[in-house]
Amino acid sequence: MPPDLWALYALMLESRLFEEAVASLWHDGLISGEMHLGTGEEAIVAGVVAHLREGDAMALDHRGTAALLMRGVDPALILRELLGHPDGLCGGMGGHMHLFSKEHLAASSGIVGAEGPAAVGFALSAQVLRPGAIAVAFFGEGAMNQGMLMESLNLASAWNLPVVFVCKDDGWAITTHSARVTGGDLTDRARGLGVQAAEVDGRDVSAVWEACRPAIERARSGGGPAFLRARCVHLEGHFLGFQLLRMVREPLREMPRIAVPLTGAFLHPGGAGLRERLAGLRTVLEAVLATLRDPRRDPANDPVRRARAALHLEEARLEELEAQVKEALNDVLAATLVEAPA
Amino acid sequence: MKTMFFTQAIDDALAQSMADDPRVILFGEDIPLMRRNLLVRFGPERVRGTPISESTFLGAGVAAAMTGLRPVVEVYMVDFLGVAMDALLNHAAKVKAFSGGKWTAPLVVRAPCGGGYGDGGQHEQSLWGWLAHIPELTILVPSTPADAGGLMLAALQHDGPVIFLEHKLLSETWLEFLGSGARRTVQFDVPAAGAKGAVPSKWRPLPIGKAILRRAGDDVMIVSVGVGVHRAQAAAQTLEAEGISAGVLDLRTVSPLDKPAICEAVAHTGRLLVVDEDYESFGLSGELAAVVLEAGISCSYARVCTQTTLPYARQLEDQSLPNQQRICASVRQLLQEQ
């Protein structure tokens, strides 16, 4: 059975448009604190969540909005939560990093790697109380270096738990290039702990859906945990206002205030010799240069555009679907924003 | 006179120490970007980025400190020490006792703390009382750039584990990185005197465990740390117009407490108000009451603290954190009781 690309595209588009609206509200100052969007990882989330059913649980990271929307949580409740309304999804207490929906067995955490133990516990409940149900953990590749996540892979393997560990690999642990701080191969690491592992192009929703299906079916039927590594590009970097992206997008504004103290420190007497200083400078420049080779500019890295391209032959149906999604979102925005927060 | 921003002062004192002492090394998450000015001066051997592996890099910091280095280990936020607590609770704090006093772990853990910018209950905690509960950990919470630099130098010269907490509301870099980067549409209640201030031309270590009287007062003594000191000073200013004389004592060090200074200040006023951004129960505010009682000082007592998990919503958050209104109301109440 092939995936229903129309349904997957609709899930992705709803999430993308919702998060673009969130970005705009954040820039307007109506949403406080940090804001980690899931834009760029929609294909991974949709390709996994489309397989879930009643009784399945999700352990989410600090980027959980897309998964909750696709799981069917009311977008108005999420929006009200992000705006800090008392009638938001979590009563204004959680915010975007700490979204919870008991009804959907979905819990988020802002602690990197905490999705591992959470998914293991959800899966234990499923194994004992809801045979056939599974748990999914969504996390980034940076989380793979947290002890608790590695321990979770091991425990899920030892107890043969129905967990699917989904690693959304964008190659960056906040501002650190993951390859610089990671030993070995992550997929091999999961295999080394006895977990069935697969890799997939996380920008291709059909590929994710197909790669995920056998893993989920196996977990449901008692075959134990699986690990899915899906590569993607975060379109807004780690979070909105990400310093590395700002340097690239607004160099005239951002570079002087970074370059001036940096030059002063580089030339300051006392400290390392020239060779060490140059090595330090190279480390800083590498992060900036890696951002300059901005993969965000390549439309092939945008999973929503890719899915749309695959459907483009039915232009009229596409336009109808897109109009429906936009209208539904506009209704949510209008209903929520009419009562502007105090 | 030379002035600096809060985090700039800490980094400047750190740079002075690193130039003087080759044993001082620095590592933690995103350090190549966050401490880039130190990286290009001292090189990648001494300024290192880590994976997101708090339990290991903190534990490694303890052992590296035991074997000759002077590590400054940074975690992204004090909240994330929860992931790595074993390194502090069962190791850094125990080495001296277990070795019969022959071995110590002189590491500095540097962590941003505190709320007031809308990140919610897993990213805005203070936790100094929770940490100070453990014997042998020294806990520093500076409230001005001058204190921040001087205490960082003291931490680096101290012969045991030190937790150095850097309040995000005072830190120009953390606030920009987390709260307002790329947007000018949000405002935070940043105490100006804490965010930027006069600093010495050369850093000297400030004594650990010494409080400082920020404001003399006769009717009530407000004892606080970090941003709370500035909230207390603002409240004292307001109360002055009502004819109430409130003093403000800035502890600067949570553990060990400056008991003589606390007792002297409270004995003078006969009233103690603790302003503590950390959780109310089983923490610094209760400890201060015990210190005063144990010294046989008779006083009336109240506290303005954080009582619950910090809400994400800004309005709720502002009500949960100690603020000027809550402090003023509490002082008025204290004065009415007698």
Side-chain angles (χ1 to χ4, degrees), chain A residues 180 244 247 258 262 278-290, chain B residues 31-33 35-37 39-40:
Chain A
R180 291 183 74 96
L244 282 172
M247 278 188 233
I258 287 165
L262 197 70
L278 284 172
L281 190 60
R282 196 158 51 240
T283 308
V284 176
L285 289 178
E286 271 169 11
V288 178
L289 289 175
Chain B
I31 288 305
L33 186 76
R35 306 287 161 242
R36 56 186 174 267
N37 297 334
L39 172 59
V40 299

Side-chain angles (χ1 to χ4, degrees), chain A residues 34 82 110 145-146 176 246, chain B residues 30 53-54 119 122 176 312:
Chain A
E34 300 166 70
L82 304 189
N145 291 323
Q146 272 289 29
T176 298
R246 269 190 276 150
Chain B
D30 282 346
S53 311
E54 289 96 353
D119 244 356
Q122 223 173 38
E176 205 267 354
Y312 157 74

Side-chain angles (χ1 to χ4, degrees), chain A residues 52-339:
Chain A
L52 300 185
R53 60 193 196 204
E54 178 84 23
D56 292 341
M58 298 196 299
L60 305 172
D61 60 10
H62 50 283
R63 226 180 274 287
T65 302
L68 291 170
L69 284 172
M70 295 185 198
R71 194 76 182 91
V73 176
D74 182 352
L77 285 177
I78 298 179
L79 189 63
R80 299 173 89 83
E81 179 65 25
L82 304 189
L83 291 165
H85 287 206
D87 58 355
L89 180 67
C90 310
M93 287 292 291
H96 85 283
M97 283 191 277
H98 318 112
L99 294 169
F100 285 72
S101 178
K102 186 178 178 186
E103 183 191 342
H104 299 86
L105 301 181
S108 314
S109 176
I111 304 298
V112 170
E115 314 79 27
V120 164
F122 290 157
L124 180 61
S125 282
Q127 194 181 52
V128 176
L129 301 175
R130 290 181 290 277
I134 64 157
V136 175
F138 284 110
F139 50 86
E141 88 293 339
M144 282 295 285
N145 291 323
Q146 272 289 29
M148 61 179 137
L149 186 48
M150 290 187 255
E151 293 169 26
S152 299
L153 287 162
N154 179 61
L155 190 57
S157 177
W159 287 357
N160 199 42
L161 292 172
V163 192
V164 179
F165 296 94
V166 181
C167 178
K168 307 171 292 179
D169 183 352
D170 84 321
W172 287 88
I174 317 178
T175 72
T176 298
H177 203 192
S178 284
R180 291 183 74 96
V181 293
T182 303
D185 178 80
L186 296 182
T187 314
D188 288 345
R189 191 183 288 178
R191 287 195 185 112
L193 292 163
V195 177
Q196 294 251 10
E199 293 188 2
V200 66
D201 181 349
R203 303 162 305 172
D204 179 343
V205 68
S206 298
V208 174
W209 189 92
E210 285 181 13
C212 192
R213 187 165 63 150
I216 287 186
E217 282 176 1
R218 193 173 54 244
R220 286 199 197 289
S221 57
F227 175 84
L228 190 68
R229 182 186 187 186
R231 288 193 172 80
C232 65
V233 172
H234 282 145
L235 302 183
E236 290 292 339
H238 176 68
F239 49 25
L240 287 178
F242 190 46
Q243 201 171 29
L244 282 172
L245 277 184
R246 269 190 276 150
M247 278 188 233
V248 176
R249 289 175 181 173
E250 294 181 83
L252 290 179
R253 192 184 135 199
E254 298 294 329
M255 288 312 271
R257 58 185 191 192
I258 287 165
V260 171
L262 197 70
T263 310
F266 181 78
L267 298 172
H268 201 290
L274 183 61
R275 182 188 295 258
E276 276 286 295
R277 288 180 192 235
L278 284 172
L281 190 60
R282 196 158 51 240
T283 308
V284 176
L285 289 178
E286 271 169 11
V288 178
L289 289 175
T291 316
L292 269 176
R293 292 189 295 271
D294 192 354
R296 290 154 194 87
R297 275 181 272 178
D298 181 352
N301 286 325
D302 182 339
V304 177
R305 288 172 73 162
R306 277 174 73 138
R308 189 182 199 282
L311 299 170
H312 81 282
L313 288 177
E314 292 184 64
E315 189 64 36
R317 188 176 169 190
L318 258 183
E319 281 172 11
E320 189 186 347
L321 170 70
E322 287 165 353
Q324 271 173 13
V325 170
K326 278 177 197 162
E327 195 185 330
L329 175 64
N330 285 339
D331 288 348
V332 168
L333 288 170
T336 306
L337 295 175
V338 76
E339 320 149 42

Side-chain angles (χ1 to χ4, degrees), chain B residues 1-2 8 44 54 83 93 150 175 200 217 283 298 330:
Chain B
M1 187 183 288
K2 200 160 139 187
Q8 185 188 11
E54 289 96 353
V83 177
L175 209 53
S298 167
S330 197

